[in-house]
PDB file of all heavy atoms in Angstrom:
ATOM      1  N   LYS A 625      -8.899  14.539  -2.452  1.00 95.00           N
ATOM      2  CA  LYS A 625      -9.409  15.816  -2.962  1.00 95.00           C
ATOM      3  C   LYS A 625      -9.588  15.747  -4.476  1.00 95.00           C
ATOM      4  O   LYS A 625      -8.635  15.442  -5.205  1.00 95.00           O
ATOM      5  CB  LYS A 625      -8.369  16.887  -2.616  1.00 95.00           C
ATOM      6  CG  LYS A 625      -8.794  18.306  -2.824  1.00 95.00           C
ATOM      7  CD  LYS A 625      -7.728  19.212  -2.217  1.00 95.00           C
ATOM      8  CE  LYS A 625      -8.104  20.655  -2.369  1.00 95.00           C
ATOM      9  NZ  LYS A 625      -7.249  21.525  -1.560  1.00 95.00           N
ATOM     10  N   PRO A 626     -10.803  15.991  -4.978  1.00 96.00           N
ATOM     11  CA  PRO A 626     -10.999  15.868  -6.423  1.00 96.00           C
ATOM     12  C   PRO A 626     -10.123  16.856  -7.197  1.00 96.00           C
ATOM     13  O   PRO A 626      -9.955  17.996  -6.789  1.00 96.00           O
ATOM     14  CB  PRO A 626     -12.475  16.229  -6.604  1.00 96.00           C
ATOM     15  CG  PRO A 626     -13.102  16.032  -5.278  1.00 96.00           C
ATOM     16  CD  PRO A 626     -12.042  16.324  -4.266  1.00 96.00           C
ATOM     17  N   ARG A 627      -9.593  16.376  -8.328  1.00 95.00           N
ATOM     18  CA  ARG A 627      -8.846  17.277  -9.203  1.00 95.00           C
ATOM     19  C   ARG A 627      -9.818  18.269  -9.824  1.00 95.00           C
ATOM     20  O   ARG A 627      -9.510  19.419 -10.058  1.00 95.00           O
ATOM     21  CB  ARG A 627      -8.174  16.456 -10.315  1.00 95.00           C
ATOM     22  CG  ARG A 627      -7.354  17.287 -11.283  1.00 95.00           C
ATOM     23  CD  ARG A 627      -6.822  16.459 -12.443  1.00 95.00           C
ATOM     24  NE  ARG A 627      -7.884  16.065 -13.368  1.00 95.00           N
ATOM     25  CZ  ARG A 627      -7.689  15.284 -14.433  1.00 95.00           C
ATOM     26  NH1 ARG A 627      -6.483  14.799 -14.681  1.00 95.00           N
ATOM     27  NH2 ARG A 627      -8.686  14.965 -15.232  1.00 95.00           N
ATOM     28  N   GLN A 628     -11.019  17.780 -10.083  1.00 93.00           N
ATOM     29  CA  GLN A 628     -12.025  18.585 -10.749  1.00 93.00           C
ATOM     30  C   GLN A 628     -13.374  18.357 -10.110  1.00 93.00           C
ATOM     31  O   GLN A 628     -13.710  17.220  -9.778  1.00 93.00           O
ATOM     32  CB  GLN A 628     -12.175  18.077 -12.187  1.00 93.00           C
ATOM     33  CG  GLN A 628     -11.448  18.884 -13.209  1.00 93.00           C
ATOM     34  CD  GLN A 628     -11.756  18.323 -14.587  1.00 93.00           C
ATOM     35  OE1 GLN A 628     -11.688  17.114 -14.788  1.00 93.00           O
ATOM     36  NE2 GLN A 628     -12.088  19.192 -15.507  1.00 93.00           N
ATOM     37  N   VAL A 629     -14.139  19.447  -9.943  1.00 95.00           N
ATOM     38  CA  VAL A 629     -15.536  19.290  -9.551  1.00 95.00           C
ATOM     39  C   VAL A 629     -16.369  19.989 -10.610  1.00 95.00           C
ATOM     40  O   VAL A 629     -16.141  21.162 -10.903  1.00 95.00           O
ATOM     41  CB  VAL A 629     -15.815  19.918  -8.172  1.00 95.00           C
ATOM     42  CG1 VAL A 629     -17.304  19.848  -7.850  1.00 95.00           C
ATOM     43  CG2 VAL A 629     -15.001  19.223  -7.085  1.00 95.00           C
ATOM     44  N   MET A 630     -17.284  19.269 -11.212  1.00 93.00           N
ATOM     45  CA  MET A 630     -18.118  19.871 -12.244  1.00 93.00           C
ATOM     46  C   MET A 630     -19.561  19.907 -11.776  1.00 93.00           C
ATOM     47  O   MET A 630     -20.106  18.882 -11.364  1.00 93.00           O
ATOM     48  CB  MET A 630     -17.989  19.078 -13.541  1.00 93.00           C
ATOM     49  CG  MET A 630     -16.567  19.162 -14.089  1.00 93.00           C
ATOM     50  SD  MET A 630     -16.283  18.117 -15.504  1.00 93.00           S
ATOM     51  CE  MET A 630     -15.317  16.828 -14.766  1.00 93.00           C
ATOM     52  N   VAL A 631     -20.138  21.104 -11.814  1.00 93.00           N
ATOM     53  CA  VAL A 631     -21.528  21.238 -11.398  1.00 93.00           C
ATOM     54  C   VAL A 631     -22.404  20.976 -12.615  1.00 93.00           C
ATOM     55  O   VAL A 631     -22.204  21.581 -13.671  1.00 93.00           O
ATOM     56  CB  VAL A 631     -21.781  22.647 -10.832  1.00 93.00           C
ATOM     57  CG1 VAL A 631     -23.252  22.823 -10.480  1.00 93.00           C
ATOM     58  CG2 VAL A 631     -20.911  22.876  -9.600  1.00 93.00           C
ATOM     59  N   VAL A 632     -23.312  20.021 -12.473  1.00 91.00           N
ATOM     60  CA  VAL A 632     -24.157  19.631 -13.609  1.00 91.00           C
ATOM     61  C   VAL A 632     -25.625  19.664 -13.198  1.00 91.00           C
ATOM     62  O   VAL A 632     -25.951  19.581 -12.011  1.00 91.00           O
ATOM     63  CB  VAL A 632     -23.786  18.198 -14.104  1.00 91.00           C
ATOM     64  CG1 VAL A 632     -22.404  18.186 -14.738  1.00 91.00           C
ATOM     65  CG2 VAL A 632     -23.868  17.189 -12.970  1.00 91.00           C
ATOM     66  N   PRO A 633     -26.523  19.774 -14.186  1.00 88.00           N
ATOM     67  CA  PRO A 633     -27.950  19.820 -13.855  1.00 88.00           C
ATOM     68  C   PRO A 633     -28.546  18.432 -13.598  1.00 88.00           C
ATOM     69  O   PRO A 633     -29.558  18.306 -12.910  1.00 88.00           O
ATOM     70  CB  PRO A 633     -28.580  20.455 -15.094  1.00 88.00           C
ATOM     71  CG  PRO A 633     -27.615  20.206 -16.209  1.00 88.00           C
ATOM     72  CD  PRO A 633     -26.259  20.072 -15.613  1.00 88.00           C
ATOM     73  N   GLU A 634     -27.944  17.393 -14.158  1.00 87.00           N
ATOM     74  CA  GLU A 634     -28.478  16.030 -14.054  1.00 87.00           C
ATOM     75  C   GLU A 634     -27.314  15.058 -14.054  1.00 87.00           C
ATOM     76  O   GLU A 634     -26.214  15.403 -14.493  1.00 87.00           O
ATOM     77  CB  GLU A 634     -29.312  15.677 -15.299  1.00 87.00           C
ATOM     78  CG  GLU A 634     -30.582  16.448 -15.496  1.00 87.00           C
ATOM     79  CD  GLU A 634     -31.682  16.024 -14.560  1.00 87.00           C
ATOM     80  OE1 GLU A 634     -31.516  14.968 -13.890  1.00 87.00           O
ATOM     81  OE2 GLU A 634     -32.690  16.739 -14.475  1.00 87.00           O
ATOM     82  N   LEU A 635     -27.595  13.818 -13.644  1.00 88.00           N
ATOM     83  CA  LEU A 635     -26.588  12.768 -13.791  1.00 88.00           C
ATOM     84  C   LEU A 635     -27.163  11.685 -14.700  1.00 88.00           C
ATOM     85  O   LEU A 635     -28.374  11.432 -14.678  1.00 88.00           O
ATOM     86  CB  LEU A 635     -26.236  12.164 -12.424  1.00 88.00           C
ATOM     87  CG  LEU A 635     -25.429  13.082 -11.500  1.00 88.00           C
ATOM     88  CD1 LEU A 635     -25.309  12.457 -10.111  1.00 88.00           C
ATOM     89  CD2 LEU A 635     -24.048  13.367 -12.073  1.00 88.00           C
ATOM     90  N   PRO A 636     -26.333  11.049 -15.500  1.00 89.00           N
ATOM     91  CA  PRO A 636     -26.844  10.004 -16.396  1.00 89.00           C
ATOM     92  C   PRO A 636     -27.178   8.743 -15.610  1.00 89.00           C
ATOM     93  O   PRO A 636     -26.317   8.175 -14.951  1.00 89.00           O
ATOM     94  CB  PRO A 636     -25.664   9.759 -17.349  1.00 89.00           C
ATOM     95  CG  PRO A 636     -24.452  10.172 -16.581  1.00 89.00           C
ATOM     96  CD  PRO A 636     -24.868  11.238 -15.622  1.00 89.00           C
ATOM     97  N   LYS A 637     -28.453   8.332 -15.683  1.00 83.00           N
ATOM     98  CA  LYS A 637     -28.854   7.133 -14.938  1.00 83.00           C
ATOM     99  C   LYS A 637     -29.583   6.160 -15.838  1.00 83.00           C
ATOM    100  O   LYS A 637     -30.270   6.565 -16.774  1.00 83.00           O
ATOM    101  CB  LYS A 637     -29.787   7.534 -13.789  1.00 83.00           C
ATOM    102  CG  LYS A 637     -29.054   8.264 -12.699  1.00 83.00           C
ATOM    103  CD  LYS A 637     -29.965   8.552 -11.531  1.00 83.00           C
ATOM    104  CE  LYS A 637     -29.228   9.419 -10.534  1.00 83.00           C
ATOM    105  NZ  LYS A 637     -30.119  10.189  -9.703  1.00 83.00           N
ATOM    106  N   THR A 638     -29.472   4.895 -15.494  1.00 77.00           N
ATOM    107  CA  THR A 638     -30.249   3.886 -16.211  1.00 77.00           C
ATOM    108  C   THR A 638     -31.682   3.933 -15.681  1.00 77.00           C
ATOM    109  O   THR A 638     -31.962   4.603 -14.680  1.00 77.00           O
ATOM    110  CB  THR A 638     -29.702   2.474 -15.946  1.00 77.00           C
ATOM    111  OG1 THR A 638     -29.792   2.246 -14.534  1.00 77.00           O
ATOM    112  CG2 THR A 638     -28.258   2.340 -16.385  1.00 77.00           C
ATOM    113  N   ARG A 639     -32.554   3.159 -16.323  1.00 74.00           N
ATOM    114  CA  ARG A 639     -33.955   3.164 -15.863  1.00 74.00           C
ATOM    115  C   ARG A 639     -34.067   2.640 -14.446  1.00 74.00           C
ATOM    116  O   ARG A 639     -34.975   2.990 -13.717  1.00 74.00           O
ATOM    117  CB  ARG A 639     -34.825   2.360 -16.830  1.00 74.00           C
ATOM    118  CG  ARG A 639     -35.206   3.192 -18.024  1.00 74.00           C
ATOM    119  CD  ARG A 639     -35.847   2.383 -19.141  1.00 74.00           C
ATOM    120  NE  ARG A 639     -35.478   3.025 -20.403  1.00 74.00           N
ATOM    121  CZ  ARG A 639     -34.564   2.555 -21.234  1.00 74.00           C
ATOM    122  NH1 ARG A 639     -33.948   1.419 -20.982  1.00 74.00           N
ATOM    123  NH2 ARG A 639     -34.272   3.211 -22.327  1.00 74.00           N
ATOM    124  N   SER A 640     -33.122   1.789 -14.041  1.00 70.00           N
ATOM    125  CA  SER A 640     -33.189   1.285 -12.656  1.00 70.00           C
ATOM    126  C   SER A 640     -32.484   2.242 -11.687  1.00 70.00           C
ATOM    127  O   SER A 640     -32.335   1.945 -10.505  1.00 70.00           O
ATOM    128  CB  SER A 640     -32.570  -0.110 -12.577  1.00 70.00           C
ATOM    129  OG  SER A 640     -31.221  -0.047 -12.989  1.00 70.00           O
ATOM    130  N   GLY A 641     -32.015   3.380 -12.200  1.00 73.00           N
ATOM    131  CA  GLY A 641     -31.492   4.406 -11.297  1.00 73.00           C
ATOM    132  C   GLY A 641     -30.002   4.327 -11.027  1.00 73.00           C
ATOM    133  O   GLY A 641     -29.463   5.055 -10.198  1.00 73.00           O
ATOM    134  N   LYS A 642     -29.311   3.447 -11.734  1.00 77.00           N
ATOM    135  CA  LYS A 642     -27.870   3.320 -11.505  1.00 77.00           C
ATOM    136  C   LYS A 642     -27.131   4.378 -12.326  1.00 77.00           C
ATOM    137  O   LYS A 642     -27.394   4.547 -13.516  1.00 77.00           O
ATOM    138  CB  LYS A 642     -27.452   1.909 -11.952  1.00 77.00           C
ATOM    139  CG  LYS A 642     -26.109   1.469 -11.451  1.00 77.00           C
ATOM    140  CD  LYS A 642     -25.934  -0.007 -11.786  1.00 77.00           C
ATOM    141  CE  LYS A 642     -24.563  -0.571 -11.617  1.00 77.00           C
ATOM    142  NZ  LYS A 642     -23.411   0.230 -11.493  1.00 77.00           N
ATOM    143  N   ILE A 643     -26.204   5.063 -11.665  1.00 82.00           N
ATOM    144  CA  ILE A 643     -25.443   6.093 -12.379  1.00 82.00           C
ATOM    145  C   ILE A 643     -24.500   5.430 -13.374  1.00 82.00           C
ATOM    146  O   ILE A 643     -23.769   4.498 -13.028  1.00 82.00           O
ATOM    147  CB  ILE A 643     -24.618   6.963 -11.399  1.00 82.00           C
ATOM    148  CG1 ILE A 643     -25.550   7.758 -10.501  1.00 82.00           C
ATOM    149  CG2 ILE A 643     -23.683   7.907 -12.160  1.00 82.00           C
ATOM    150  CD1 ILE A 643     -24.858   8.499  -9.383  1.00 82.00           C
ATOM    151  N   MET A 644     -24.516   5.903 -14.625  1.00 84.00           N
ATOM    152  CA  MET A 644     -23.609   5.329 -15.628  1.00 84.00           C
ATOM    153  C   MET A 644     -22.288   6.097 -15.622  1.00 84.00           C
ATOM    154  O   MET A 644     -22.094   7.048 -16.375  1.00 84.00           O
ATOM    155  CB  MET A 644     -24.269   5.338 -16.997  1.00 84.00           C
ATOM    156  CG  MET A 644     -25.396   4.325 -17.069  1.00 84.00           C
ATOM    157  SD  MET A 644     -26.022   4.107 -18.723  1.00 84.00           S
ATOM    158  CE  MET A 644     -24.678   3.240 -19.516  1.00 84.00           C
ATOM    159  N   ARG A 645     -21.412   5.633 -14.746  1.00 85.00           N
ATOM    160  CA  ARG A 645     -20.135   6.353 -14.582  1.00 85.00           C
ATOM    161  C   ARG A 645     -19.289   6.340 -15.856  1.00 85.00           C
ATOM    162  O   ARG A 645     -18.510   7.237 -16.102  1.00 85.00           O
ATOM    163  CB  ARG A 645     -19.342   5.725 -13.438  1.00 85.00           C
ATOM    164  CG  ARG A 645     -19.963   5.989 -12.086  1.00 85.00           C
ATOM    165  CD  ARG A 645     -18.934   5.827 -10.983  1.00 85.00           C
ATOM    166  NE  ARG A 645     -19.556   6.008  -9.687  1.00 85.00           N
ATOM    167  CZ  ARG A 645     -20.264   5.071  -9.072  1.00 85.00           C
ATOM    168  NH1 ARG A 645     -20.439   3.888  -9.646  1.00 85.00           N
ATOM    169  NH2 ARG A 645     -20.795   5.306  -7.899  1.00 85.00           N
ATOM    170  N   ARG A 646     -19.484   5.273 -16.641  1.00 86.00           N
ATOM    171  CA  ARG A 646     -18.732   5.145 -17.894  1.00 86.00           C
ATOM    172  C   ARG A 646     -18.895   6.403 -18.768  1.00 86.00           C
ATOM    173  O   ARG A 646     -17.933   6.893 -19.364  1.00 86.00           O
ATOM    174  CB  ARG A 646     -19.276   3.896 -18.606  1.00 86.00           C
ATOM    175  CG  ARG A 646     -18.918   3.729 -20.032  1.00 86.00           C
ATOM    176  CD  ARG A 646     -19.404   2.355 -20.532  1.00 86.00           C
ATOM    177  NE  ARG A 646     -20.858   2.235 -20.694  1.00 86.00           N
ATOM    178  CZ  ARG A 646     -21.547   2.802 -21.675  1.00 86.00           C
ATOM    179  NH1 ARG A 646     -20.955   3.571 -22.558  1.00 86.00           N
ATOM    180  NH2 ARG A 646     -22.849   2.616 -21.781  1.00 86.00           N
ATOM    181  N   LEU A 647     -20.121   6.937 -18.816  1.00 90.00           N
ATOM    182  CA  LEU A 647     -20.367   8.114 -19.654  1.00 90.00           C
ATOM    183  C   LEU A 647     -19.690   9.346 -19.056  1.00 90.00           C
ATOM    184  O   LEU A 647     -19.157  10.198 -19.768  1.00 90.00           O
ATOM    185  CB  LEU A 647     -21.872   8.347 -19.803  1.00 90.00           C
ATOM    186  CG  LEU A 647     -22.635   7.201 -20.474  1.00 90.00           C
ATOM    187  CD1 LEU A 647     -24.129   7.486 -20.481  1.00 90.00           C
ATOM    188  CD2 LEU A 647     -22.134   6.991 -21.901  1.00 90.00           C
ATOM    189  N   LEU A 648     -19.723   9.426 -17.747  1.00 92.00           N
ATOM    190  CA  LEU A 648     -19.072  10.571 -17.085  1.00 92.00           C
ATOM    191  C   LEU A 648     -17.561  10.492 -17.283  1.00 92.00           C
ATOM    192  O   LEU A 648     -16.881  11.500 -17.416  1.00 92.00           O
ATOM    193  CB  LEU A 648     -19.430  10.586 -15.602  1.00 92.00           C
ATOM    194  CG  LEU A 648     -20.910  10.849 -15.330  1.00 92.00           C
ATOM    195  CD1 LEU A 648     -21.208  10.691 -13.851  1.00 92.00           C
ATOM    196  CD2 LEU A 648     -21.311  12.240 -15.806  1.00 92.00           C
ATOM    197  N   GLN A 649     -17.080   9.259 -17.304  1.00 90.00           N
ATOM    198  CA  GLN A 649     -15.647   9.085 -17.530  1.00 90.00           C
ATOM    199  C   GLN A 649     -15.276   9.596 -18.928  1.00 90.00           C
ATOM    200  O   GLN A 649     -14.234  10.220 -19.110  1.00 90.00           O
ATOM    201  CB  GLN A 649     -15.296   7.604 -17.403  1.00 90.00           C
ATOM    202  CG  GLN A 649     -13.823   7.389 -17.216  1.00 90.00           C
ATOM    203  CD  GLN A 649     -13.552   6.150 -16.371  1.00 90.00           C
ATOM    204  OE1 GLN A 649     -14.477   5.406 -16.041  1.00 90.00           O
ATOM    205  NE2 GLN A 649     -12.309   5.931 -16.045  1.00 90.00           N
ATOM    206  N   ASP A 650     -16.152   9.348 -19.899  1.00 91.00           N
ATOM    207  CA  ASP A 650     -15.912   9.882 -21.251  1.00 91.00           C
ATOM    208  C   ASP A 650     -15.774  11.399 -21.198  1.00 91.00           C
ATOM    209  O   ASP A 650     -14.879  11.975 -21.811  1.00 91.00           O
ATOM    210  CB  ASP A 650     -17.071   9.512 -22.187  1.00 91.00           C
ATOM    211  CG  ASP A 650     -17.083   8.009 -22.518  1.00 91.00           C
ATOM    212  OD1 ASP A 650     -16.026   7.372 -22.358  1.00 91.00           O
ATOM    213  OD2 ASP A 650     -18.145   7.508 -22.923  1.00 91.00           O
ATOM    214  N   VAL A 651     -16.668  12.025 -20.451  1.00 91.00           N
ATOM    215  CA  VAL A 651     -16.625  13.494 -20.355  1.00 91.00           C
ATOM    216  C   VAL A 651     -15.330  13.927 -19.676  1.00 91.00           C
ATOM    217  O   VAL A 651     -14.601  14.798 -20.160  1.00 91.00           O
ATOM    218  CB  VAL A 651     -17.832  14.031 -19.543  1.00 91.00           C
ATOM    219  CG1 VAL A 651     -17.716  15.539 -19.330  1.00 91.00           C
ATOM    220  CG2 VAL A 651     -19.135  13.679 -20.238  1.00 91.00           C
ATOM    221  N   ALA A 652     -15.004  13.265 -18.571  1.00 91.00           N
ATOM    222  CA  ALA A 652     -13.814  13.652 -17.803  1.00 91.00           C
ATOM    223  C   ALA A 652     -12.541  13.435 -18.606  1.00 91.00           C
ATOM    224  O   ALA A 652     -11.551  14.130 -18.419  1.00 91.00           O
ATOM    225  CB  ALA A 652     -13.765  12.868 -16.499  1.00 91.00           C
ATOM    226  N   GLU A 653     -12.568  12.458 -19.486  1.00 91.00           N
ATOM    227  CA  GLU A 653     -11.368  12.181 -20.289  1.00 91.00           C
ATOM    228  C   GLU A 653     -11.450  12.811 -21.670  1.00 91.00           C
ATOM    229  O   GLU A 653     -10.691  12.463 -22.572  1.00 91.00           O
ATOM    230  CB  GLU A 653     -11.153  10.660 -20.383  1.00 91.00           C
ATOM    231  CG  GLU A 653     -10.798  10.057 -19.029  1.00 91.00           C
ATOM    232  CD  GLU A 653     -10.637   8.535 -19.043  1.00 91.00           C
ATOM    233  OE1 GLU A 653     -10.931   7.898 -20.075  1.00 91.00           O
ATOM    234  OE2 GLU A 653     -10.221   7.996 -17.998  1.00 91.00           O
TER     235      GLU A 653
END
Side-chain angles (χ1 to χ4, degrees):
K625 191 171 181 168
R627 181 186 71 183
Q628 260 184 313
V629 175
M630 295 174 254
V631 176
V632 292
E634 294 285 349
L635 289 172
K637 289 185 186 156
T638 60
R639 278 169 212 104
S640 60
K642 196 171 168 344
I643 294 172
M644 289 189 71
R645 290 201 183 80
R646 166 173 72 73
L647 299 176
L648 294 174
Q649 197 149 7
D650 289 340
V651 175
E653 293 177 353

